[in-house]
Amino acid sequence: MKEKEFDMTDEPRETIDAKKLPKLDGETRFIIRSEFRTGLTLTIIYFLFVFSVPAMNWFKPDWAFAKVFGGISTSWFLTSIVAMVMAFIIAYVHTKLYERWEKKVQTITSSRK
Amino acid sequence: MQVLLDPKYLFTIILLGTIVYITYLSKRNENSSDFFVGGRVFGWFTNGSAIAGDYLSAATFLGLAGLTFSIGYDGAFYTFSFSIGLTLLALFVAGPLRRLGAYTVADFVAYRFHSKRARIIAVIVVLAISGFYAAPQLLGAASILSMFFGTSYEFGIIFTSIVMIFYVGVGGMKGTTLNQALELWIRLGAFIIMVAAAIYGGFHYDKILATISEFSGTIINTGAFTEDGKDLVFNGETWYKSGSFNPNFWHSISMVIGLALGTIGLPHILLRFYTNPNAKAARKSAVMSIGIASLFFGLAVYLGVVGRAIFLEGNASPEVMKNLVTGGDNMVVPSIATALGGQWLLGLVIAGAFAAIFSNLSGLFIASSGAIAHDLYAKFSKKELTEKQRVRAAKWAIILLGVFYAVLGLLVKGASIGHLVALAFTVGASTFAPIFILGIWWRGITEKGAIAGLVMGLLSSLFMIFFSSVLPEALQFRVPGIITVPIGFLAVYIVSKLDGKVPADVNSFMRKVHAKE
């Protein structure tokens, strides 16, 4: 079956049974999988940190609110300082990985040509 | 003349003058691309600043420090939950969204599924989210005007709406972006000066947190401003720990889910990624905005703690003590500014607060005017509209929205800014977040699935916001993301699986939004 060109329109277009959908071409599949894998890995790392904070607050409050530096407890430190740095680092690493991966794809594509 | 030299008037007039100047310079909006997406010419620095400007509303500038001041650790946790969303947006949505190259949020939904029905539902959701978001911004503006310039609440709402109609109607996305970028640096500058003044004044984080956590008893010099004439009582240990806002673990998780995913569903933030020239610039803009927003959130929590320390010392001026006792959360930042730097710092903070409100409101006006003029009027008009007619329609939509938002602003008098904004996040998290994430990454989503997700996400959010009192206490969440977000995602997934009819050009769509430029 010949693939339809994507049309930027909201006029009704042909539909197809999801089970009969042709496979994506190799290059797009590779791009989507690697992009998604990178995003998902970083999200898992990030959310392990994010969910560990409330888990610690509610299940190990003695650890969470034990003062480690003056009046700053582990939870205050993680929530108000580390979390802000972490958000930036995750996004920055993602952009850097993406740029590196983009170059790799470019090399593969040009070597195929 | 003497009045104009008062810092609060001076800074506010400088801000308004700058807005008028930038708006005038960028008034040439020849076509809809200029008006809705600023001609897609903004690089990562300008757009990153504008995204942060759009995101850091009055709720963040005034609300987060205020929440930390009043509820302690849970206020810091609230801020932490806000800080997650932009990162998720950068990881999964920013680049692909820009590659699609549409004009509005509803465009994505309509083009992805080739569906006018989906467009109409998306427009309704855009207007619901922007209504929930715009009303508290107007409330914030009216409160500041009333508190510092002595105007009535109603005047504040009408004045701000008129300023916004001019600002967005004349400048379009070009003027809005430049103004948002400038306004971001004004309020960040105000925060940095406040933090420097606090550190110089000896309010070191570790020391003040120790003092607050060990405080137990009455706060001196507060009795003169309380209704019963008695000094306020404060328990530092409760303030220092989790539990004053979120009563248990699941409430904390619900807040994280609602606020983190809510960012992905905010139309005015999503729209900003269309204004970059390419996907690479969109990703860099996202990183830049995350850096700025994270710094801002960190400073907001610290200033909330500083405010509490100043309050507990009890020796600030009677005006500051009165505002901290009676002014509510939104008066904490102006009060800290007065205590730390007198009238000049207060003037800068007031200008910063207006900057936050204008910046956020302008984003909402642009997103919603696009929804009305581009998504409804232009798309459903029987005749083909010229570019000039489209721009004119957008300007009329802005006037209409100005009136609509003003009415909403008048209705929410006395409500909490932070809470109303959290509700807008809940709707965004439960409607657009599932559609954008699944629409970009899953080929199996169908038109019916998308519509079901939008409708179920919207209805469940509204139910949890307005009628949750009929549910058992365990299900009454302040930010009900833990219930409404899975409903949105599951509705999309289940209905798509049952329907099974995907657009035949879905592979081409995937190539368009994911392929390398």
Side-chain angles (χ1 to χ4, degrees):
Chain A
M1 184 187 154
K2 194 174 178 287
E3 207 164 274
K4 304 274 177 198
E5 275 303 307
F6 181 67
D7 210 354
M8 298 259 285
T9 177
D10 43 7
E11 292 302 327
R13 287 287 183 266
E14 205 180 322
T15 57
I16 183 173
D17 192 326
K19 286 173 190 153
K20 292 178 187 163
L21 196 60
K23 274 190 172 179
L24 274 166
D25 64 275
E27 193 181 318
T28 312
R29 204 165 58 232
F30 169 73
I31 290 171
I32 293 177
R33 277 191 186 166
S34 34
E35 206 182 342
F36 188 72
R37 204 178 300 135
T38 311
L40 189 66
T41 310
L42 289 169
T43 306
I44 291 170
I45 295 168
Y46 190 32
F47 271 80
L48 279 175
F49 164 75
V50 166
F51 286 136
S52 73
V53 174
M56 192 170 66
N57 289 344
W58 288 102
F59 301 117
K60 286 284 174 193
D62 295 344
W63 292 3
F65 295 101
K67 289 171 187 166
V68 287
F69 176 63
I72 300 178
S73 68
T74 314
S75 247
W76 271 94
F77 181 63
L78 292 177
T79 310
S80 63
I81 298 170
V82 177
M84 308 310 162
V85 180
M86 187 92 167
F88 178 74
I89 289 175
I90 294 283
Y92 182 77
V93 168
H94 177 250
T95 305
K96 285 289 153 197
L97 286 176
Y98 187 82
E99 281 171 5
R100 200 195 300 168
W101 167 84
E102 212 171 23
K103 275 185 194 153
K104 197 172 136 191
V105 173
Q106 203 167 16
T107 316
I108 295 168
T109 316
S110 51
S111 67
R112 273 186 198 159
K113 285 174 185 168
Chain B
M1 193 62 197
Q2 194 61 34
V3 167
L4 294 180
L5 290 176
D6 182 337
K8 69 187 176 199
Y9 283 97
L10 191 64
F11 284 120
T12 307
I13 288 168
I14 290 173
L15 174 73
L16 287 172
T18 315
I19 288 172
V20 171
Y21 181 64
I22 291 177
T23 307
Y24 179 75
L25 283 185
S26 43
K27 70 178 190 305
R28 272 174 72 93
N29 286 294
E30 289 171 352
N31 52 43
S32 18
S33 170
D34 281 348
F35 196 86
F36 292 122
V37 290
R40 304 191 205 278
V41 294
F42 295 109
W44 61 271
F45 183 85
T46 311
N47 209 25
S49 303
I51 293 168
D54 228 342
Y55 193 54
L56 302 170
S57 61
T60 41
F61 186 72
L62 300 176
L64 295 177
L67 270 177
T68 307
F69 169 87
S70 59
I71 59 176
Y73 176 80
D74 277 358
F77 189 81
Y78 201 95
T79 312
F80 160 72
S81 305
F82 267 121
S83 73
I84 301 163
L86 278 177
T87 306
L88 290 184
L89 190 65
L91 295 188
F92 292 109
V93 178
L97 192 61
R98 172 60 193 94
R99 284 198 200 96
L100 181 67
Y103 284 151
T104 65
V105 171
D107 269 349
F108 174 90
V109 184
Y111 294 158
R112 173 70 173 85
F113 307 105
H114 305 300
S115 166
K116 286 188 174 170
R117 279 184 302 180
R119 183 183 288 280
I120 293 171
I121 307 280
V123 168
I124 293 170
V125 176
V126 167
L127 294 177
I129 295 172
S130 58
F132 270 122
Y133 218 132
Q137 305 303 321
L138 282 165
L139 185 156
S143 306
I144 294 167
L145 280 169
S146 145
M147 200 72 81
F148 295 105
F149 298 94
T151 60
S152 70
Y153 181 80
E154 290 72 19
F155 172 86
I157 296 282
I158 293 164
F159 171 77
T160 312
S161 302
I162 291 171
V163 171
M164 292 320 301
I165 289 170
F166 162 77
Y167 176 151
V168 187
V170 176
M173 182 56 109
K174 275 186 189 169
T176 298
T177 304
L178 295 173
N179 273 319
Q180 282 176 331
L182 172 86
E183 286 157 4
L184 178 270
W185 291 103
I186 291 174
R187 78 196 96 136
L188 189 59
F191 259 22
I192 289 172
I193 293 171
M194 282 175 75
V195 167
I199 293 170
Y200 181 74
F203 292 98
H204 298 159
Y205 215 171
D206 55 327
K207 284 185 193 162
I208 52 178
L209 267 176
T211 311
I212 297 168
S213 64
E214 285 153 17
F215 189 100
S216 179
T218 54
I219 307 170
I220 57 167
N221 294 332
T222 54
F225 312 110
T226 56
E227 278 180 14
D228 57 7
K230 289 181 185 166
D231 281 340
L232 291 173
V233 177
F234 178 74
N235 182 340
E237 202 187 341
T238 315
W239 182 93
Y240 186 72
K241 292 182 178 174
S242 200
S244 30
F245 189 78
N246 291 320
N248 60 43
F249 172 73
W250 295 109
H251 278 253
S252 301
I253 294 295
S254 188
M255 180 183 278
V256 168
I257 293 172
L259 298 186
L261 285 170
T263 310
I264 298 181
L266 295 179
H268 59 298
I269 302 293
L270 289 166
L271 186 66
R272 292 234 56 94
F273 292 102
Y274 289 139
T275 64
N276 280 119
N278 51 46
K280 193 176 177 182
R283 283 176 205 282
K284 281 195 168 181
S285 298
V287 175
M288 162 97 180
S289 63
I290 291 163
I292 296 169
S294 298
L295 173 65
F296 202 90
F297 288 137
L299 300 183
V301 172
Y302 169 67
L303 287 173
V305 176
V306 169
R308 177 53 68 180
I310 290 171
F311 191 47
L312 294 184
E313 280 177 1
N315 52 16
S317 70
E319 182 201 351
V320 169
M321 292 304 284
K322 182 187 172 195
N323 282 337
L324 288 174
V325 173
T326 61
D329 290 352
N330 303 332
M331 278 305 294
V332 172
V333 170
S335 303
I336 303 168
T338 313
L340 293 172
Q343 293 304 307
W344 283 96
L345 195 49
L346 173 67
L348 189 59
V349 162
I350 292 172
F354 278 124
I357 289 161
F358 290 160
S359 189
N360 187 259
L361 269 174
S362 59
L364 294 166
F365 266 84
I366 282 279
S368 304
S369 70
I372 294 173
H374 173 81
D375 294 320
L376 289 183
Y377 182 66
K379 292 285 175 186
F380 291 92
S381 174
K382 285 195 177 120
K383 56 178 184 178
E384 188 64 31
L385 298 179
T386 63
E387 286 296 323
K388 267 193 171 174
Q389 284 172 319
R390 284 168 191 259
V391 173
R392 202 178 304 137
K395 292 183 178 184
W396 276 108
I398 284 163
I399 295 173
L400 198 71
L401 284 164
V403 176
F404 173 60
Y405 290 157
V407 172
L408 288 180
L410 292 171
L411 291 174
V412 297
K413 188 177 181 179
S416 151
I417 293 181
H419 188 56
L420 285 169
V421 167
L423 300 181
F425 272 70
T426 303
V427 179
S430 321
T431 52
F432 285 133
I435 303 300
F436 275 85
I437 292 174
L438 295 174
I440 286 171
W441 296 99
W442 183 41
R443 293 187 304 157
I445 181 170
T446 69
E447 179 204 3
K448 286 180 184 156
I451 291 175
L454 287 173
V455 172
M456 289 302 293
L458 181 63
L459 291 180
S460 60
S461 307
L462 294 179
F463 178 81
M464 292 302 293
I465 291 166
F466 295 113
F467 306 108
S468 67
S469 56
V470 302
L471 294 173
E473 206 173 320
L475 296 176
Q476 293 178 23
F477 292 92
R478 283 193 163 126
V479 181
I482 200 166
I483 294 177
T484 59
V485 173
I487 288 176
F489 273 96
L490 282 173
V492 175
Y493 183 77
I494 293 168
V495 176
S496 294
K497 279 286 178 192
L498 291 173
D499 177 28
K501 298 283 180 201
V502 298
D505 60 1
V506 61
N507 284 355
S508 306
F509 170 83
M510 287 294 171
R511 228 184 339 271
K512 186 170 178 64
V513 298
H514 291 287
K516 219 178 69 58
E517 285 164 306

